[in-house]
Amino acid sequence: MANWQWFHKWGSPRWFYQFSGRLLPWLAIPALLLLVGGCVWGLAFVPADFKQGNSFRIIYIHVPAAAVAMGGYMLMATAAAVHLIWRMKLAAIVMKSAAPIGAALTFLALLTGAVWGKPTWGTWWVWDARITSVLILFFLYLGLIALHQAFENRDAAARACAVLAIVGAVNIPIIYWSVEWWYSLHQPASIKFVGESTIHPTMLRPLMATLSGMYLFFGWVLLLFVRAEIIEREKNTRWVQALVSGK
Amino acid sequence: MAMHPLRKQRLGIVVFILLASAAAAAFLGYALRENINLFYPPADIVAGKAPLDKKIRAGGMVEEGSVERATDSLKVRFRVTDYSASVAVAYEGILPDLFAEGEGVVVTGRLAEDGVFYADEVLAKHDENYMPPEVSEALEKSAQSRAEEATAGKEYSGS
Amino acid sequence: MVFANLQQLWQMDGHGPYVWFSFATSAIVLCALVFESRRRGRNARALAAAAARRRRAENQF
């Protein structure tokens, strides 16, 4: 049973609050450097695309927003499953905290996609499988936020949201493979896990910077939301009161 | 490392929720399989699988050498191909910047009985390749020289 | 820089409005996330401090 000890430690909000406080600068500083640096690099120091011209530069914000919106959902669904199985308080807090960040990033992916679609495809919006499934992701995030607020009881809210989050996880592989399974206007992925990426290395490097920057940014802001939620839930405990009284 | 039986049961519930929703999504996708496709490929249209005189979309590549522009208006005719069949498209209006022969396109409109697709919207569908213009020129050049070498080689072996 | 001057960087051969709008709104939304998370942290700390003051006041009697 000794092997489970780390698991219980991670489940302790107090321990997590102290641990995450030390982690914050290690996420925030590289996140901002990579995001700002990658954007400047992609906007001004990378040649234009041979077909799309300069509009392709939107890729440096569109792809990171979309990828982290999906990755964030998987993290949220995993936290939901951990909460349902082990009734871990911290997992419920992570699940609740990931929803607004995921919603904001999905909104950005949809908005920058529309703005990119107009000069390249000739339309802001089309109901193809990729765009529609990402819109469903957006509604899932909004639905989770609304569902959590609809409950008076925090534990009941967490359990209902966890079930919805797990059901919605089915949408993630659908988004990812939608461009392969069906005829769509959206092109397939350029960054490939297997085989060579179909984006030239000079253009790929700043994309890797903004993509990793966005993952770190998600981690940073997630910790900020989680820490706020921990203080709020534990406001009547001695350790939080000692913390805010500066003793 | 045995799991608590209650937790094992809850894990079973989580797995069941996942499987059930995946099955529901699969059935939904199967039921809607034609409707989820944004467009018909030319092969399906030529085979008569697309409805006549109903608003539909067709997609494929603009056939090389098929674009005919009117000199006095914005009327344009071209053929859309998936390299197994092709459909004639008639359109009047402004084309997207990325519209070109050999490029992807999705057209919205009606298929008439004469087999011509009368489009009222033309969208450009680009592929997942991104590269600087110089790289694309260099690639074209090397492809050209390779083709020339191949024909030269053929001539050599032929003589 | 691949652009000859700042004017060209701003215009981007006509794609400037699309590109700059995308990056500007993204910056606003990402900053809003940071501010919102910090606002919630401040509110939670204020609630906890109020609870601590109440407890101290109760203990005095």
Side-chain angles (χ1 to χ4, degrees):
Chain A
M1 269 315 182
N3 291 346
W4 288 91
Q5 205 151 19
W6 64 271
F7 203 79
H8 292 297
K9 197 160 84 174
W10 273 80
S12 149
R14 180 183 183 179
W15 182 84
F16 187 82
Y17 188 88
Q18 284 157 355
F19 165 78
S20 62
R22 290 198 298 275
L23 209 60
L24 283 177
W26 296 98
L27 290 169
I29 295 164
L32 294 177
L33 285 178
L34 283 165
L35 272 181
V36 173
C39 283
V40 171
W41 189 0
L43 279 169
F45 296 95
V46 157
D49 181 59
F50 72 125
K51 275 182 196 157
Q52 301 183 29
N54 286 307
S55 64
F56 112 93
R57 295 179 199 280
I58 295 173
I59 200 173
Y60 296 113
I61 199 73
H62 174 76
V63 168
V68 180
M70 289 162 69
Y73 195 96
M74 290 316 284
L75 181 96
M76 188 177 72
T78 309
V82 169
H83 176 68
L84 275 190
I85 297 168
W86 285 280
R87 294 282 186 267
M88 194 197 266
K89 263 196 257 172
L90 184 65
I93 296 175
V94 168
M95 176 184 72
K96 189 195 169 196
S97 304
I101 315 173
L105 290 179
T106 315
F107 170 76
L108 277 186
L110 288 168
L111 184 80
T112 55
V115 172
W116 192 3
K118 186 63 188 168
T120 46
W121 298 339
T123 184
W124 301 101
W125 188 266
V126 65
W127 292 99
D128 84 347
R130 169 58 70 83
I131 301 171
T132 309
S133 54
V134 174
L135 186 67
I136 292 172
L137 179 72
F138 183 55
F139 289 143
L140 273 170
Y141 275 127
L142 293 186
L144 279 158
I145 296 170
L147 186 64
H148 209 287
Q149 282 173 352
F151 281 89
E152 290 272 321
N153 181 296
R154 194 177 271 158
D155 293 333
R159 240 165 281 170
C161 285
V163 172
L164 178 59
I166 292 168
V167 169
V170 174
N171 191 33
I172 299 297
I174 294 177
I175 294 176
Y176 189 78
W177 280 296
S178 56
V179 287
E180 318 267 337
W181 291 344
W182 299 290
Y183 295 120
S184 60
L185 187 59
H186 197 289
Q187 69 284 2
S190 297
I191 303 175
K192 301 202 166 50
F193 295 113
V194 185
E196 208 173 327
S197 292
T198 56
I199 171 165
H200 194 266
T202 53
M203 298 163 151
L204 181 62
R205 273 175 227 127
L207 182 57
M208 284 307 178
T210 54
L211 188 59
S212 46
M214 193 65 96
Y215 274 110
L216 292 170
F217 179 87
F218 179 87
W220 173 43
V221 179
L222 180 68
L223 285 190
L224 289 178
F225 273 104
V226 167
R227 286 162 64 82
E229 188 74 21
I230 287 175
I231 295 290
E232 144 91 44
R233 291 189 185 197
E234 310 255 306
K235 59 178 179 285
N236 291 323
T237 61
R238 287 195 180 277
W239 76 270
V240 167
Q241 298 197 344
L243 187 85
V244 294
S245 317
K247 279 176 209 159
Chain B
M1 280 298 288
M3 237 171 138
H4 193 282
L6 185 63
R7 287 175 194 146
K8 209 176 241 172
Q9 190 194 343
R10 292 194 199 127
L11 176 67
I13 293 170
V14 167
V15 171
F16 173 78
I17 295 172
L18 258 181
L19 289 179
S21 42
F27 285 132
L28 201 67
Y30 184 75
L32 297 172
R33 61 198 177 282
E34 290 306 323
N35 297 315
I36 299 175
N37 285 322
L38 185 70
F39 54 80
Y40 290 92
D44 283 6
I45 294 176
V46 170
K49 286 182 191 166
L52 286 178
D53 211 34
K54 207 181 141 203
K55 195 156 185 152
I56 56 166
R57 285 199 180 94
M61 293 293 184
V62 180
E63 205 168 270
E64 297 275 358
S66 74
V67 178
E68 297 166 31
R69 290 171 201 263
T71 47
D72 55 342
S73 70
L74 287 171
K75 279 188 182 141
V76 61
R77 281 175 164 269
F78 55 91
R79 298 190 72 83
V80 173
T81 177
D82 56 6
Y83 303 113
S84 68
S86 73
V87 172
V89 177
Y91 174 68
E92 184 172 5
I94 297 163
L95 292 163
D97 292 346
L98 262 65
F99 179 90
E101 291 181 355
E103 298 291 337
V105 75
V106 173
V107 295
T108 313
R110 283 160 209 281
L111 183 65
E113 266 177 58
D114 55 1
V116 176
F117 194 101
Y118 292 92
D120 43 44
E121 187 185 43
V122 174
L123 302 177
K125 175 172 164 61
H126 61 81
D127 58 21
E128 68 274 32
N129 296 305
Y130 298 90
M131 59 182 109
E134 309 89 73
V135 177
S136 126
E137 275 162 32
L139 278 181
E140 256 167 51
K141 247 180 226 162
S142 74
Q144 224 166 22
S145 64
R146 234 178 293 137
E148 274 162 24
E149 263 168 43
T151 47
K154 248 179 235 156
E155 275 162 24
Y156 179 78
S157 60
S159 63
Chain C
M1 194 163 82
V2 291
F3 296 95
N5 50 48
L6 287 179
Q7 179 94 25
Q8 283 193 18
L9 174 68
W10 179 244
Q11 286 171 349
M12 288 197 171
D13 301 320
H15 287 155
Y18 301 104
V19 175
W20 290 110
F21 174 81
S22 297
F23 281 81
T25 41
S26 302
I28 292 169
V29 169
L30 296 186
C31 285
L33 273 176
V34 175
F35 284 127
E36 173 62 14
S37 63
R38 287 177 173 255
R39 191 188 63 82
R40 288 191 192 182
R42 270 199 313 276
N43 286 355
R45 277 164 174 273
L47 283 175
R53 271 197 302 277
R54 268 200 310 278
R55 175 180 283 180
R56 272 198 300 274
E58 279 163 17
N59 287 348
Q60 271 172 1
F61 293 106

